[in-house]
Amino acid sequence: MAAEIHELNRALEAFDRRNTPAGLLVRYARGRLRYFFSRQALTLFGAMVLAFSVSLQTGLLAMSVAAVGELIDSYLLRGVEKQLNRGVPVQDLLRKTAVSAFAQALGLSAFVAILWLAIPREAALLLCLAYMGAGAVNAIMALAYHRTAAYTRLVVYGVTVTLLFVADFYVLHYQREQFFYNIAATLMVAYTMLPFVSYVTTGRLRDLRQQRRQIEQGLALAKANASLLERQREGRRLSSIAENADDSIIMLDADAHTLWVNPAFTRKTGYKLSEVVGKHPTDYLHGPRSDPAILNLFNEAVRTGVPAHGENVNYTKIGAPFWVETNLSPVFDEHGNLEMAISVDRDITLKKQRETELAEAKRAAEQGERAKTAFLATMSHEIRTPMNGIIGMSDLLNEANLNKEDALYVQTIRHSSEALLTIINDILDFSKLQDGHLKISSIAFELQPCLDEVMNLMRPQAHAKGIALKADIADNLPRTVWGDDGRLRQILVNVIGNAIKFTESGDVHVHVGTVEEGPDHGLEIAVTDTGIGIPPDRIETVFDQFAQADAATTRRFGGTGLGLAISRQLARMMGGDVIATSSLGVGSCFVIQVDFPEVNLPAKRAVNPDVLPEPEVFDGATVLLAEDNRTNRFLVQKLLKDLPLTLVTAVNGKEAVDMVEELRPDVVLMDMSMPVMDGLDATRFIRNRMAAQPHIIALTANAYRSDRQACMEAGMNGFLPKPVRRAELLKAVAKGLESRKLSTSAR
Ligand code: ADP
């Protein structure tokens, strides 16, 4: 079929090529050259007539003039094809060959003129007319190929005949009647030729058009046949795909009635084609768990002829449910009307099962994570409450007049509980970091006092081990910066604490400067020690959670392996990092970088933790302590014992509210979790319903940021996490009294 189309295409191309101006010119030239000798035979015949009837010279003369014209014409026509191939424009060649046709026609006319003049009048007319007629017929034959040449010839012949008649009349004084008869005969001949001219011009054109149409029709027919064959083949292919597909295929008519189903459908559902044909899929596929919204979607899609996609539960013949993913595509006829819809159903039961399992696993993991966080928070709270007692009591004991040995015991208790508190804090921080609850809060603070505070805190530890703790601070350090001072202090305490912990002799050196490369406002603190060092293959793992350089270290020095993991994460949250370099047996260097921009705001006043408020501040004040734990009540009583204030206690929130009403205390120290009424409810009650408005300070083991926020939202003024130190407690109470005084004087 393809070969036939190719053949017809070629025929069409050849046809068009033959009928372009160039093609027609070539055919004209070939035709003229083909009949060259027949034409010469005719002229030779005339020349011979002249030679016999007039003279040999006259015959030769006539033959020569005709031949000259013919030769000029034929010479030019022979070169036409070659010149066209060389690219000579066809218009040029048409012009040239029209001129040569003129030459040829002139030659023939001269030949006829000699005949006309040389032979007797009566014989001449017929002979000459025969030649002129033959010439004219010849010219007309070429009309379709070279119109200019044809008309040139006809004009020359017409003019020649006219001239010969005129010559007859005037020069030879021919008889008038005969002249008119000759004219009439000539006109008759010309007239009879007109239909011929018309045929050659319009008739030929019609023929050409007819021929072309025939080729075109043949071609169209061949193409239609080819496309039909292709469609048949495609149809066979598609039906074999549908027959062998793994997905179920359902063909529906425009009213969503089943036309056909494939074998995969039967395998999956158990329904044969005969059982479902003519039925709506809803009638045989759907059941209790099928989603009606999806069914409506598909019904609507078939009705409106738009594609649809969806997932739903289908049922087999025996009622077993399975999940399918359905793609519904409309099929339209050639007029654009919906002919049918094809629904391809893929079984996705396994995928759905996996999704459910994953969702279940995710839910369980989240639940586990929540349980872990809740457990850590509770554990931290539960441990903090007794720790408050231990630390507070050892503080009190420290102030008693103990002998040297007892004092040492008390200090040991104190240090051990501090260490335990660090661990609790680390675990709490770690759990907060894990679930993303840990936040960095920035304020403007003075750098130097913050650094001094850390050094003062760490110095006794270093001193106890006989290690020198030195610090040098660069001159160009900004005075006030924007950042989280508490978290910076936490990182420093951890890294400097490690340096002291892992150094037996020598010194720990802290250099504070600005970062030369990296963040614009980088602060860089390098802590260098002369300690045990870290093996090169462990240098990065020490930053992992619960990771230590080696197990022996843990046994010797203790620790949880959380400090560096927390420090690095905190530093990263503050736009920096913690980086370690170390040499085993020589020492380590931990570089802390944080991004703290310099600010010109008034900074947070540096608090000196060692300076206690003057006792007069508390003169005449009434402080109410609401606390259900007896040890803690006892502890606070002892911490405030030598001050000129009245301390009253309540064991739950309800009692506290009543005592506020009755005694109108200046400051309330409010525990958060208490029986009957908790601290938050009691505070809300006081703030919303009572005339007396004391300064309320939360005193609690709940150390989460959210707890602090809850206290503030309930209307408290301060927050003291347990375990409470004496200095902090005194300062918080003093601050409360001061703010009360200010508000009273303002009123
Ligand atoms: P911890 O000190 O509680 O074990 P860290 O995360 O603070 O946990 O430290 C992890 C480990 O890194 C330590 O156990 C120790 O092996 C190693 N390490 C930390 N700092 C130093 C130091 N300055 N010199 C030697 N080893 C150190």
Side-chain angles (χ1 to χ4, degrees):
M1 192 51 72
E4 192 186 339
I5 292 174
H6 181 67
E7 211 40 56
L8 283 163
N9 266 325
R10 279 183 49 174
L12 196 63
E13 270 171 33
F15 180 88
D16 286 342
R17 216 172 28 246
R18 275 155 53 83
N19 291 295
T20 56
L24 289 173
L25 177 61
V26 168
R27 288 167 69 193
Y28 162 76
R30 283 187 193 157
R32 293 267 340 153
L33 291 171
R34 195 176 312 129
Y35 295 108
F36 176 80
F37 289 108
S38 352
R39 288 197 303 275
Q40 301 325 304
L42 273 176
T43 18
L44 185 65
F45 173 74
M48 278 167 64
V49 169
L50 278 176
F52 284 120
S53 61
V54 183
S55 69
L56 182 64
Q57 289 90 327
T58 317
L60 280 175
L61 177 70
M63 183 72 205
S64 314
V65 286
V68 168
E70 273 288 352
L71 285 174
I72 293 172
D73 191 33
S74 300
Y75 175 74
L76 259 168
L77 291 176
R78 270 169 64 97
V80 158
E81 264 187 273
K82 268 193 206 140
Q83 295 203 50
L84 274 175
N85 290 341
R86 255 191 273 133
V88 176
V90 66
Q91 291 307 329
D92 282 5
L93 292 171
L94 281 172
R95 256 194 308 277
K96 281 182 192 167
T97 48
V99 173
S100 70
F102 178 71
Q104 184 269 332
L106 265 187
L108 183 64
S109 297
F111 175 84
V112 170
I114 292 170
L115 271 182
W116 181 259
L117 296 173
I119 58 175
R121 280 297 96 231
E122 294 74 23
L125 179 64
L126 206 55
L127 198 60
C128 291
L129 267 185
Y131 273 103
M132 284 287 96
V137 167
N138 232 305
I140 292 167
M141 295 281 278
L143 250 177
Y145 304 96
H146 195 330
R147 192 171 284 259
T148 326
Y151 283 129
T152 305
R153 282 195 177 95
L154 289 175
V155 169
V156 172
Y157 298 150
V159 170
T160 305
V161 170
T162 314
L163 283 177
L164 287 178
F165 285 156
V166 171
D168 243 14
F169 192 72
Y170 285 108
V171 181
L172 302 177
H173 306 293
Y174 207 55
Q175 287 176 9
R176 184 177 290 239
E177 303 87 66
Q178 223 153 358
F179 173 71
F180 282 118
Y181 291 139
N182 286 347
I183 293 272
T186 311
L187 287 177
M188 280 289 285
V189 170
Y191 181 71
T192 52
M193 280 186 190
L194 278 180
F196 182 45
V197 172
S198 140
Y199 166 74
V200 171
T201 49
T202 56
R204 222 191 112 70
L205 263 179
R206 199 173 45 242
D207 285 354
L208 280 176
R209 274 202 294 271
Q210 185 73 18
Q211 278 173 30
R212 197 172 193 286
R213 205 164 22 232
Q214 268 174 5
I215 303 175
E216 278 174 350
Q217 278 172 354
L219 193 63
L221 197 67
K223 281 184 180 167
N225 276 339
S227 131
L228 198 66
L229 263 178
E230 185 49 39
R231 275 195 199 186
Q232 279 173 353
R233 233 176 272 139
E234 196 182 346
R236 273 198 302 278
R237 271 200 299 267
L238 285 178
S239 69
S240 85
I241 291 172
E243 294 273 343
N244 298 306
D246 278 341
D247 293 340
S248 302
I249 298 174
I250 309 169
M251 283 185 184
L252 304 165
D253 66 14
D255 295 321
H257 294 121
T258 309
L259 292 171
W260 182 84
V261 292
N262 70 341
F265 172 88
T266 306
R267 279 198 301 276
K268 180 74 223 171
T269 61
Y271 288 113
K272 290 196 197 92
L273 174 60
S274 56
E275 292 172 292
V276 294
V277 79
K279 288 186 187 162
H280 198 283
T282 323
D283 301 337
Y284 55 87
L285 278 181
H286 297 139
R289 279 173 55 202
S290 306
D291 182 352
I294 300 284
L295 300 183
N296 283 342
L297 175 87
F298 284 124
N299 285 339
E300 195 58 17
V302 175
R303 204 180 59 74
T304 51
V306 292
H309 172 93
E311 294 179 356
N312 207 352
V313 178
N314 280 356
Y315 286 80
T316 64
K317 193 174 169 182
I318 57 164
F322 62 99
W323 271 96
V324 285
E325 180 186 27
T326 301
N327 275 301
L328 187 109
S329 315
V331 178
F332 299 96
D333 64 14
E334 61 274 23
H335 306 297
N337 299 323
L338 183 69
E339 194 177 354
M340 60 176 175
I342 298 177
S343 162
V344 179
D345 294 354
R346 173 159 295 179
D347 186 344
I348 53 162
T349 312
L350 272 178
K351 187 182 130 198
K352 281 283 168 189
Q353 254 168 21
R354 235 168 274 136
E355 276 174 16
T356 318
E357 281 164 16
L358 264 176
E360 185 56 35
K362 187 166 172 261
R363 205 183 52 77
E366 282 169 358
Q367 207 174 24
E369 196 59 31
R370 274 198 299 277
K372 189 189 89 184
T373 312
F375 167 75
L376 285 171
T378 316
M379 190 193 78
S380 147
H381 173 263
E382 292 306 318
I383 298 175
R384 258 164 214 278
T385 309
M387 285 292 293
N388 193 33
I390 299 171
I391 292 180
M393 288 304 163
S394 47
D395 270 352
L396 288 176
L397 267 178
N398 224 4
E399 284 168 18
N401 262 343
L402 297 176
N403 64 37
K404 216 172 168 191
E405 200 179 348
D406 289 345
L408 192 68
Y409 295 157
V410 172
Q411 262 171 30
T412 312
I413 296 174
R414 180 67 215 255
H415 286 154
S416 307
S417 21
E418 285 290 347
L420 189 56
L421 199 62
T422 312
I423 294 172
I424 297 167
N425 284 340
D426 274 2
I427 292 176
L428 199 64
D429 271 354
F430 172 70
S431 79
K432 283 196 249 174
L433 276 170
Q434 288 278 298
D435 59 22
H437 275 108
L438 200 137
K439 298 272 177 326
I440 298 295
S441 56
S442 295
I443 52 155
F445 72 98
E446 281 183 29
L447 207 48
Q448 182 76 45
C450 171
L451 296 169
D452 290 345
E453 201 182 302
V454 175
M455 294 308 280
N456 289 339
L457 193 74
M458 304 312 290
R459 206 157 271 128
Q461 225 172 300
H463 186 69
K465 283 187 83 176
I467 299 164
L469 176 62
K470 298 180 207 154
D472 75 90
I473 295 175
D475 298 336
N476 65 346
L477 218 56
R479 195 175 130 86
T480 309
V481 291
W482 184 258
D484 191 328
D485 58 334
R487 294 298 177 190
L488 175 65
R489 218 175 280 130
Q490 185 180 349
I491 300 175
L492 285 172
V493 167
N494 178 49
V495 173
I496 299 173
N498 275 349
I500 298 169
K501 185 161 81 170
F502 295 109
T503 303
E504 299 292 2
S505 62
D507 53 33
V508 170
H509 189 259
V510 181
H511 173 82
V512 188
T514 46
V515 181
E516 275 160 27
E517 286 170 25
D520 282 353
H521 323 287
L523 193 66
E524 187 170 275
I525 303 166
V527 180
T528 318
D529 64 54
T530 55
I532 58 170
I534 304 165
D537 60 326
R538 305 288 299 162
I539 197 87
E540 268 308 305
T541 39
V542 294
F543 290 101
D544 294 346
Q545 306 140 14
F546 305 108
Q548 294 177 320
D550 70 300
T553 317
T554 328
R555 280 195 296 278
R556 230 168 94 206
F557 301 97
T560 55
L562 279 177
L564 285 179
I566 294 169
S567 298
R568 175 170 262 186
Q569 284 207 49
L570 286 175
R572 285 183 176 170
M573 285 169 82
M574 295 192 287
D577 206 347
V578 179
I579 302 150
T581 46
S582 185
S583 173
L584 200 59
V586 178
S588 314
C589 176
F590 283 79
V591 178
I592 303 152
Q593 291 180 341
V594 282
D595 186 16
F596 280 1
E598 183 174 5
V599 280
N600 293 321
L601 293 169
K604 186 177 99 175
R605 216 167 350 117
V607 276
N608 188 340
D610 301 328
V611 180
L612 290 177
E614 296 298 326
E616 298 85 72
V617 175
F618 305 98
D619 214 3
T622 305
V623 176
L624 167 66
L625 167 68
E627 168 67 85
D628 62 324
N629 184 293
R630 200 150 50 92
T631 317
N632 286 339
R633 277 201 307 272
F634 178 64
L635 175 68
V636 173
Q637 277 167 351
K638 290 295 169 196
L639 291 176
L640 300 178
K641 78 172 185 273
D642 295 328
L643 298 173
L645 54 77
T646 312
L647 180 69
V648 286
T649 55
V651 295
N652 61 49
K654 172 83 183 57
E655 217 176 284
V657 169
D658 293 344
M659 289 177 81
V660 167
E661 176 82 71
E662 193 185 323
L663 301 173
R664 299 192 167 238
D666 300 292
V667 174
V668 178
L669 297 169
M670 185 80 84
D671 186 22
M672 262 176 93
S673 1
M674 286 183 289
V676 188
M677 182 189 259
D678 70 18
L680 291 177
D681 283 345
T683 306
R684 277 187 215 108
F685 192 93
I686 295 168
R687 290 291 181 240
N688 298 332
R689 311 253 185 105
M690 296 179 73
Q693 288 297 319
H695 185 92
I696 305 176
I697 302 166
L699 196 65
T700 172
N702 301 353
Y704 268 111
R705 177 187 292 266
S706 54
D707 298 324
R708 176 189 286 264
Q709 205 174 332
C711 291
M712 295 306 161
E713 278 168 11
M716 297 197 191
N717 309 95
F719 187 88
L720 275 179
K722 290 175 186 170
V724 187
R725 268 83 172 183
R726 184 161 188 260
E728 286 168 358
L729 178 65
L730 261 54
K731 275 188 274 181
V733 174
K735 194 175 157 200
L737 291 172
E738 199 180 325
S739 70
R740 289 232 347 132
K741 248 185 240 150
L742 282 176
S743 63
T744 325
S745 59
R747 257 183 263 135

